[in-house]
Amino acid sequence: MQKPIVDQTADSRQILFDADVRIARDHVVLSLWRNSDAFCVLERRLVRSDDVVLTQILSLEDGDALTEFAAADPYGDHLRAQYQSIDRERREQIRPQADRKVRNSQVDPVEEIGLIDACSNEGELMALAGRVVTQLGGRSYIYHWLRVNEKTGGVDEQRCLIGCHPAWLHKYINRLWYRLDPFLEYAKRNAAPTVGSRIDLGSDDYWLMNDAVGYGFRSSLVCPAHSRSNAWVGVLQVSNEQPQSTG
């Protein structure tokens, strides 16, 4: 059972669609649910043949996000019918702008951060995080929630909140970069926030870091967030496209 990022005891989600599709030795679970703010959130859970579980959470408040996410999915051809059903359901849930909750984009980010504990689901948390990151100079963010194997140090389970280009996490997962991500390795061993330029990179990290730049991850702030259990590690990565000297 996955450990929740936020307290779900007062969860305000409404499940709209759910499908489990086996593809060769893997299987993908796609779920669509509606947030209390009236926009939809997509959850894609990949259970690999090696039993590693990789989950992506994507807000569909922006209608283009689903199109980009589905187009980049390595299993997109197998999941075409499911994505079409999700898109139809999403469109049916769209409400007139006047009926939606509108927040002042200039709200004090410190005040916004103080609202995190009140979030009842990940959709609410992502909406809040997007506002805070933007106001503080960030362009993209990812929150990784990892269950680390105590014997091997590898990732047994990963849950990601996607606050970046919808295609990036597909590429990241498909190329198994979660096995050697230097930012995740830093977070496993440290508790203090740091900037990405201070994390030592190995020769195997070149393609990961080079490709990340193409998706807006040029300058990064890496913030470990450890739970009481050593098996779980949280990592917030906030980035922008500016050079590291100024970003």
Side-chain angles (χ1 to χ4, degrees):
M1 181 176 181
Q2 292 179 331
K3 185 179 180 67
I5 295 174
V6 296
D7 184 2
Q8 304 282 359
T9 55
D11 198 337
S12 56
R13 298 183 300 177
Q14 176 186 355
I15 303 299
L16 304 172
F17 178 88
D18 191 67
D20 187 334
V21 181
R22 181 164 291 278
I23 305 170
R25 298 178 62 190
D26 300 339
H27 71 92
V28 178
V29 180
L30 292 174
S31 300
L32 180 72
W33 45 274
R34 191 172 70 180
N35 182 41
S36 58
D37 285 338
F39 61 85
C40 293
V41 176
L42 174 66
E43 178 173 326
R44 179 191 186 270
R45 185 168 76 251
L46 170 65
V47 183
R48 291 174 43 87
S49 57
D50 57 5
D51 293 328
V52 173
V53 180
L54 303 161
T55 304
Q56 302 173 65
I57 309 296
L58 177 69
S59 168
L60 302 184
E61 188 173 14
D62 176 1
D64 293 335
L66 177 60
T67 300
E68 294 175 339
F69 187 81
D73 192 332
Y75 290 149
D77 289 343
H78 298 276
L79 301 169
R80 183 177 293 110
Q82 286 75 23
Y83 278 124
Q84 289 173 346
S85 296
I86 288 170
D87 189 44
R88 285 195 297 269
E89 188 64 46
R90 181 193 67 83
R91 292 175 183 276
E92 291 179 4
Q93 298 299 321
I94 294 176
R95 297 181 179 180
Q97 186 67 30
D99 293 339
R100 305 182 69 171
K101 296 180 181 179
V102 178
R103 293 185 60 88
N104 184 349
S105 60
Q106 299 303 315
V107 172
D108 182 352
V110 175
E111 178 183 336
E112 293 271 73
I113 291 171
L115 299 176
I116 288 176
D117 285 343
C119 293
S120 64
N121 58 60
E122 291 161 333
E124 293 180 6
L125 177 60
M126 292 172 72
L128 188 155
R131 294 193 297 268
V132 171
V133 165
T134 299
Q135 292 178 63
L136 296 182
R139 179 68 180 271
S140 303
Y141 77 87
I142 302 174
Y143 186 87
H144 302 266
W145 190 238
L146 313 170
R147 181 164 59 86
V148 179
N149 188 295
E150 295 181 356
K151 294 182 178 180
T152 67
V155 175
D156 285 341
E157 187 171 351
Q158 180 171 239
R159 190 174 182 87
C160 295
L161 305 187
I162 304 174
C164 60
H165 192 290
W168 171 236
L169 264 297
H170 280 314
K171 190 170 189 177
Y172 178 91
I173 289 172
N174 192 47
R175 298 196 176 183
L176 308 181
W177 279 334
Y178 58 88
R179 292 181 175 178
L180 49 78
D181 187 335
F183 292 170
L184 299 189
E185 292 303 314
Y186 172 85
K188 291 177 186 178
R189 298 172 174 82
N190 298 273
T194 189
V195 292
S197 59
R198 295 180 181 173
I199 296 177
D200 293 334
L201 304 179
S203 58
D204 293 337
D205 301 325
Y206 173 77
W207 289 110
L208 164 58
M209 306 309 294
N210 185 68
D211 283 18
V213 170
Y215 290 90
F217 292 90
R218 183 180 298 275
S219 296
S220 294
L221 176 67
V222 181
C223 302
H226 295 281
S227 68
R228 294 180 180 178
S229 169
N230 292 332
W232 287 94
V233 176
V235 189
L236 174 65
Q237 179 184 351
V238 180
S239 303
N240 62 31
E241 299 171 332
Q242 298 180 31
Q244 292 185 357
S245 59
T246 59

